[in-house]
Amino acid sequence: MTGIEIIPAVGGAFLLVGVISVVYQIFQMVVIDARARNLKHPGFWGVFTLGSDNLILYLIGRRRYPVVRMTDADRKEMARRKKVIGVSLAFMAAGAIGIVLYGMLTSSL
Amino acid sequence: MEIGKKLKEARLQSGLTQEKAAEKIGVSRQTISNWENEKSYPDIVSVIRLSDIYSISLDSLLKGDDKMMEHLEESTDIVRSNRKLAAAAGANVVLVAVMVILSMFLPENEYFLAAVFCLMIIAASVLFYQIIKRF
């Protein structure tokens, strides 16, 4: 692999790791949130929000179900997972930008 | 006096143990302990419940503790949080509009296209993060 060909490989790896991390963190956060609101089958809601616009639908729909019980540990867990999502989004953006720049470099050669 | 000390004094005066107080407001004993040691702060609903069970006014619990007021302000300032989200969404829309208009006037240029894609990736990531922060 030449120097320039490393860019899409690394970019793709960053993108993949970022996507998997974001998806996993959102799943876990939804499960914690659904449990705190006494929604039945929190695991189902976690999987549901993995669909394209379903996270927005969940955030809108959950307003009818106030938080009944969220422990301090749950709150800290949510805050930690939000930070991990922030880092994962940075990975995704870096990976995507790397792939775009590779595309630009190779098309101009 | 800080809220932690006030909560502990109020609890002791009302003759409740940490377990009993935790049970009455639906949190764990550890949470009551964390509040009294100021390792964390209660949310506004818990503060109201505590004022009920300890028979102490909200005034005496909240006033005078700047850190507690700051915590409540941050956690309940929905207007400011909505503004940030609206700003991120608006910036995305404006960016897309500007790029579409510019692309009509500028000649086809890979560098320009690449810059557009990079900016849109960053803008979309920022918007998504703002949505996640409000979770």
Side-chain angles (χ1 to χ4, degrees), chain B residues 7 9 12 15 18-19 26 30 34 36 50 54 59-60 63 72 77 83-84 105 109 113 116 120 129-130 133-134:
Chain B
L7 287 174
E9 262 189 30
L12 291 171
Q18 285 187 341
E19 285 85 358
Q30 185 61 52
N34 287 345
E36 290 181 0
L50 286 167
Y54 295 161
D59 253 11
S60 50
K63 282 189 179 169
L72 285 179
D77 196 348
R83 279 195 193 134
K84 276 189 189 170
F105 297 105
N109 185 320
L113 265 177
V116 165
M120 291 185 71
Y129 185 61
Q130 287 300 319
K133 270 175 76 174
R134 285 167 53 79

Side-chain angles (χ1 to χ4, degrees), chain A:
Chain A
M1 205 183 273
T2 62
I4 200 168
E5 283 161 4
I6 284 176
I7 297 173
V10 171
F14 269 46
L15 190 60
L16 187 64
V17 165
V19 165
I20 290 172
S21 175
V22 166
V23 164
Y24 178 71
Q25 299 306 326
I26 289 175
F27 169 79
Q28 292 291 353
M29 282 171 62
V30 168
V31 167
I32 293 172
D33 186 74
R35 210 167 33 223
R37 291 168 194 270
N38 263 358
L39 291 175
K40 286 183 188 168
H41 312 296
F44 163 77
W45 293 111
V47 174
F48 172 78
T49 56
L50 300 182
S52 59
D53 294 322
N54 293 351
L55 178 61
I56 304 279
L57 289 175
Y58 175 81
L59 290 176
I60 292 170
R62 72 174 185 170
R63 289 189 290 183
R64 290 167 52 203
Y65 303 92
V67 172
V68 172
R69 181 186 287 245
M70 186 175 273
T71 62
D72 262 1
D74 283 343
R75 272 185 246 272
K76 281 184 184 153
E77 187 68 14
M78 293 286 268
R80 188 186 70 81
R81 290 191 184 277
K82 284 178 195 177
K83 285 182 187 155
V84 171
I85 287 178
V87 171
S88 306
L89 282 172
F91 262 73
M92 280 173 64
I97 287 170
I99 292 170
V100 165
L101 291 177
Y102 172 76
M104 183 198 77
L105 284 172
T106 49
S107 67
S108 60
L109 286 174

Side-chain angles (χ1 to χ4, degrees), chain B residues 13-75:
Chain B
Q13 275 184 3
S14 60
L16 291 169
T17 60
Q18 285 187 341
E19 285 85 358
K20 278 283 174 200
E23 199 182 317
K24 280 177 182 274
I25 65 168
V27 299
S28 67
R29 187 209 64 80
Q30 185 61 52
T31 299
I32 298 285
S33 170
N34 287 345
W35 291 342
E36 290 181 0
N37 293 314
E38 291 187 31
K39 287 182 184 166
S40 64
Y41 292 111
D43 55 81
I44 187 67
V45 172
S46 298
V47 172
I48 293 170
R49 286 179 182 160
L50 286 167
S51 80
D52 270 344
I53 62 166
Y54 295 161
S55 303
I56 185 172
S57 69
L58 278 177
D59 253 11
S60 50
L61 270 183
L62 294 175
K63 282 189 179 169
D65 189 328
D66 292 338
K67 282 189 186 163
M68 178 63 186
M69 292 309 295
E70 205 181 295
H71 160 77
L72 285 179
E73 202 182 312
E74 274 174 15
S75 58

